[in-house]
Amino acid sequence: MSSASTSSVFISSSNAITTQTHNHHLTNVLNLSFPRPKLVAARCFCGFTPRSSSPTLFKKLNRVFCSTLPSVSTNTTHYEFSDGGSEVELRLKLGDVDITSRDVIVDPKDDSLAIKVQLDGSLRTLMETSVLYEKIKPAETIWYLDDDELVVNLKKQDGELYWPDIVESWESLTVGVTQLLKGTSVYLVGESTEINQKISRELAVGLGYTPLDTKELMEAFTKQTIDSWESTQGSDAVAEVESAILENLSCHARTVVATVGGRHGAASRTDNWRHLFAGFTVWLSQSEATDEVSARDEAKRHFQDGTRGYSNAEVVVKLGGWDTNYSKTVAQATLSALKRLILSDKELPGKKSLYVRLGCRGDWPDIKPPGYDPSTANDA
């Protein structure tokens, strides 16, 4: 039996984000401020559905959630952050203020942190972040005053994971996910070629990867547009050409590949995923859902249905509407989901590498021993 953990992110036009984590009957709702202007009709639901028959992994995945676009507000613009291995240290510059330890309130949670100080008869927020880069052990938090600085030491839950910064942001995710990927490529699939292209360029810049576009490669090869090729040769021919290109790209590392969207794309067909599994696959799915719950249910139905090729993807990002101005927002949601996916099984990049070295035989995720012949896999 496969296991699943589904999470979602909703970006509303009121510049606020609601994040929901769904594990069986447990639901946590966080309201996060998002200091970006003009988020008009931009909705992004983000989740991933790992598959495994391992009871141990199933329990582990129940604690995994995808939380993107966290807020961080601070009245203290100067702070220093360092990763010391099993713990991280945050130094907030207090400036010329006269306070004692009794005036300071440090409120750590598993994945958030609030720091406030009593000053001039009022409670002032020094820093408040809704989503730390990763989870901590709140009970082991230590803080103290050091001259004009407030020093906070946070104990990580995962001591092996490097934190680029205190908060999960575009900058910290691009650094952190690059390390987690270990050179594994990323493939973007979905109904819209344009969306795949836009997000692939954003991700490539952030990760330091090479952006590749199967539509551009196909049109350069055929010397005609996709539409004209389809009208003369048929949609099957388009999918066949793209499949051949994906086979060639499967041996490339450190690339973000934008695939052709719609019915004529190879990724829309369940039998054309052999070489897509060479990298981490992300479904940028346009949704009619109006809230997190319906988006989650929609994604779950698509995965269970399995008739659409996109349901093979390891990460799904649900988009309610589309505006190119929010490409970076969607790219950040994608990075956050990829981070959660890899942290649920840190061996995934190595398994992807093995899958490629064995020839992308279509046996993902249950990689067979050398000598396996996919052409005889279904023989009675």
Side-chain angles (χ1 to χ4, degrees):
M1 180 181 296
S2 63
S3 65
S5 175
T6 304
S7 49
S8 59
V9 173
F10 173 55
I11 305 174
S12 72
S13 58
S14 60
N15 293 353
I17 302 174
T18 301
T19 302
Q20 289 190 336
T21 302
H22 307 279
N23 290 312
H24 301 293
H25 301 293
L26 176 64
T27 301
N28 297 320
V29 181
L30 303 175
N31 293 315
L32 315 179
S33 63
F34 186 44
R36 283 180 172 79
K38 297 172 61 177
L39 270 178
V40 180
R43 298 186 180 93
C44 175
F45 310 91
C46 174
F48 65 85
T49 306
R51 299 171 175 82
S52 172
S53 58
S54 167
T56 302
L57 181 57
F58 178 78
K59 293 178 181 178
K60 181 178 181 182
L61 290 178
N62 281 342
R63 299 196 300 271
V64 175
F65 67 93
C66 173
S67 177
T68 64
L69 306 174
S71 68
V72 54
S73 61
T74 175
N75 293 324
T76 304
T77 56
H78 302 291
Y79 74 87
E80 296 178 1
F81 174 82
S82 60
D83 185 316
S86 62
E87 63 183 25
V88 293
E89 182 179 272
L90 177 68
R91 286 180 170 266
L92 283 170
K93 302 291 185 180
L94 299 176
D96 187 18
V97 295
D98 184 19
I99 61 173
T100 68
S101 59
R102 289 178 296 180
D103 300 317
V104 178
I105 299 174
V106 177
D107 184 19
K109 300 291 193 302
D110 281 355
D111 53 9
S112 65
L113 176 67
I115 302 175
K116 301 180 181 181
V117 61
Q118 192 76 31
L119 191 63
D120 298 329
S122 62
L123 195 61
R124 180 182 300 179
T125 299
L126 295 183
M127 172 175 279
E128 186 169 15
T129 175
S130 59
V131 182
L132 295 169
Y133 186 76
E134 252 304 313
K135 292 190 176 183
I136 62 170
K137 300 176 182 178
E140 298 184 38
T141 299
I142 300 174
W143 64 268
Y144 57 92
L145 293 171
D146 183 15
D147 293 332
D148 64 342
E149 294 181 330
L150 172 62
V151 183
V152 182
N153 289 302
L154 305 171
K155 183 74 70 172
K156 301 177 186 175
Q157 286 195 18
D158 182 352
E160 297 180 355
L161 179 66
Y162 170 70
W163 287 32
D165 199 354
I166 187 68
V167 68
E168 188 180 81
S169 63
W170 171 255
E171 290 75 16
S172 64
L173 282 169
T174 53
V175 173
V177 175
T178 300
Q179 294 180 340
L180 290 172
L181 286 171
K182 297 180 180 178
T184 307
S185 292
V186 177
Y187 291 81
L188 303 182
V189 304
E191 299 84 355
S192 170
T193 302
E194 177 195 359
I195 294 176
N196 295 344
Q197 292 170 329
K198 294 288 187 182
I199 305 308
S200 73
R201 291 165 191 156
E202 291 283 358
L203 289 174
V205 170
L207 296 171
Y209 275 27
T210 300
L212 295 174
D213 185 337
T214 58
K215 178 177 181 289
E216 291 181 356
L217 293 172
M218 290 172 65
E219 291 180 343
F221 173 74
T222 61
K223 302 295 191 297
Q224 55 184 310
T225 65
I226 294 294
D227 291 338
S228 63
W229 177 261
E230 181 183 13
S231 64
T232 58
Q233 303 295 326
S235 59
D236 288 344
V238 174
E240 289 174 6
V241 173
E242 187 179 24
S243 292
I245 290 175
L246 289 170
E247 179 178 0
N248 181 270
L249 297 181
S250 64
C251 61
H252 290 246
R254 295 179 175 83
T255 63
V256 182
V257 181
T259 64
V260 174
R263 68 186 186 282
H264 45 256
S268 67
R269 303 161 187 238
T270 56
D271 57 348
N272 280 349
W273 275 68
R274 175 177 166 185
H275 296 98
L276 284 167
F277 284 131
F280 288 108
T281 52
V282 180
W283 177 11
L284 302 175
S285 173
Q286 293 178 286
S287 172
E288 296 181 357
T290 57
D291 55 47
E292 303 87 342
V293 175
S294 56
R296 176 205 59 183
D297 292 340
E298 180 184 71
K300 186 176 180 180
R301 288 195 304 271
H302 288 161
F303 278 119
Q304 291 176 339
D305 180 38
T307 57
R308 306 175 72 182
Y310 304 136
S311 63
N312 287 321
E314 293 145 311
V315 168
V316 58
V317 177
K318 287 285 183 182
L319 307 174
W322 169 246
D323 188 321
T324 56
N325 291 327
Y326 309 123
S327 296
K328 197 168 185 177
T329 298
V330 178
Q332 183 173 333
T334 301
L335 287 178
S336 184
L338 284 169
K339 174 186 158 202
R340 297 292 183 265
L341 174 66
I342 298 173
L343 289 180
S344 73
D345 182 358
K346 294 181 181 179
E347 301 300 319
L348 280 174
K351 292 176 182 177
K352 289 288 187 181
S353 177
L354 175 62
Y355 178 77
V356 172
R357 294 199 306 272
L358 290 174
C360 297
R361 302 171 301 180
D363 53 346
W364 181 265
D366 301 316
I367 302 175
K368 303 298 188 295
Y372 167 75
D373 184 357
S375 65
T376 62
N378 297 321
D379 290 350

